[in-house]
Amino acid sequence: MPYIPQPVESFTGYNWSGLAGIVDFLITMNYDMNDYGMHGGFADANSPLPPIQQAMHCILLLTYDQHVPANKIVMGFPWYAYYFRCDNSTPLPGPTPVGEVKNPCYSHLPFTESSSQHSLADAILNKLPISSTGRLWDSESQAPYFDFMNGTMRHRVRYDDNQSIAVRCNYAKSLAVRGVAFWTANVDYGVPMPESHEKLEEAMWDSVVWPTR
């Protein structure tokens, strides 16, 4: 189920009741929610909590109207990082992004040109130790971030870790949905991992606490 921005009218043409009747569960896409357009934008969180809450409110209302129970819904969250190249050499366009972030990162380039997707292992184990800011916390989006320098170019890393994943899992539990899923559920995309990577993956999975059925 795709992320639903407001308004939701364009999302109502699906037969969710029929789909729910032939599948084990429906997975919501609560990631790639960056407020970023074809003409550039801010390096926002990948899975910010307020838009998740807004989207799930809409999704649960729509599925309820079609008699789809909440225990057919699985909430999908990100298990990867985005690296953004910051271009703040010109005045920022309009208001700053949602979230309490230090020194906002903006690019005038399209998303596909100014960002790249990376594994959490690379972000947390390789880039965070050499960051210029250390790990920072966006209290509005409820997600971590940090900056690192590549020559003279500042990069911002927006990612999720065990703290932010635990926040999202607790929210999912409060909705009484079936469970949670991750894209992709491995910090190194299936590549054989050294011990440090295995410990990182273990910490991530430890943050996913779900009631037994």
Side-chain angles (χ1 to χ4, degrees):
M1 302 179 71
Y3 161 53
I4 308 177
Q6 292 282 9
V8 301
E9 286 77 11
S10 61
F11 195 72
T12 56
Y14 294 87
N15 182 0
W16 295 119
S17 179
L19 289 171
I22 60 175
V23 299
D24 293 328
F25 47 82
L26 300 166
I27 301 180
T28 65
M29 184 178 173
N30 298 117
Y31 49 91
D32 281 353
M33 303 169 77
N34 318 67
D35 183 17
Y36 210 107
M38 290 299 294
H39 303 289
F42 288 99
D44 289 341
N46 188 4
S47 182
L49 189 61
I52 289 174
Q53 293 169 329
Q54 180 187 56
M56 290 309 300
H57 174 75
C58 296
I59 286 173
L60 293 176
L61 282 177
L62 289 170
T63 52
Y64 177 81
D65 287 343
Q66 294 194 29
H67 309 289
V68 178
N71 63 12
K72 274 281 188 176
I73 304 296
V74 172
M75 295 179 64
F77 298 119
W79 201 290
Y80 57 92
Y82 273 115
Y83 298 179
F84 293 90
R85 294 189 294 276
C86 306
D87 175 20
N88 291 0
S89 58
T90 57
L92 299 181
T96 56
V98 174
E100 298 177 6
V101 296
K102 295 182 178 180
N103 195 11
C105 171
Y106 180 85
S107 176
H108 294 270
L109 295 173
F111 181 85
T112 54
E113 296 181 32
S114 64
S115 67
S116 55
Q117 191 179 114
H118 297 265
S119 72
L120 284 179
D122 185 66
I124 297 175
L125 299 178
N126 297 333
K127 292 297 187 291
L128 182 55
I130 63 169
S131 73
S132 56
T133 61
R135 179 185 182 275
L136 301 171
W137 182 256
D138 179 348
S139 60
E140 179 70 21
S141 296
Q142 289 289 291
Y145 67 99
F146 62 86
D147 292 351
F148 72 90
M149 300 297 295
N150 184 2
T152 59
M153 175 64 69
R154 180 167 67 101
H155 289 68
R156 172 146 297 175
V157 177
R158 298 305 305 241
Y159 68 109
D160 285 276
D161 60 11
N162 56 325
Q163 181 183 355
S164 62
I165 290 297
V167 170
R168 283 144 185 78
C169 287
N170 285 330
Y171 173 65
K173 284 186 285 187
S174 74
L175 299 179
V177 296
R178 184 186 184 96
V180 295
F182 297 94
W183 182 269
T184 169
N186 186 298
V187 294
D188 229 0
Y189 301 139
V191 177
M193 296 181 294
E195 183 180 357
S196 59
H197 292 209
E198 291 178 351
K199 289 181 178 179
L200 172 60
E201 186 173 26
E202 182 179 350
M204 294 292 287
W205 281 118
D206 285 346
S207 68
V208 184
V209 179
W210 202 259
T212 56
R213 295 182 180 273

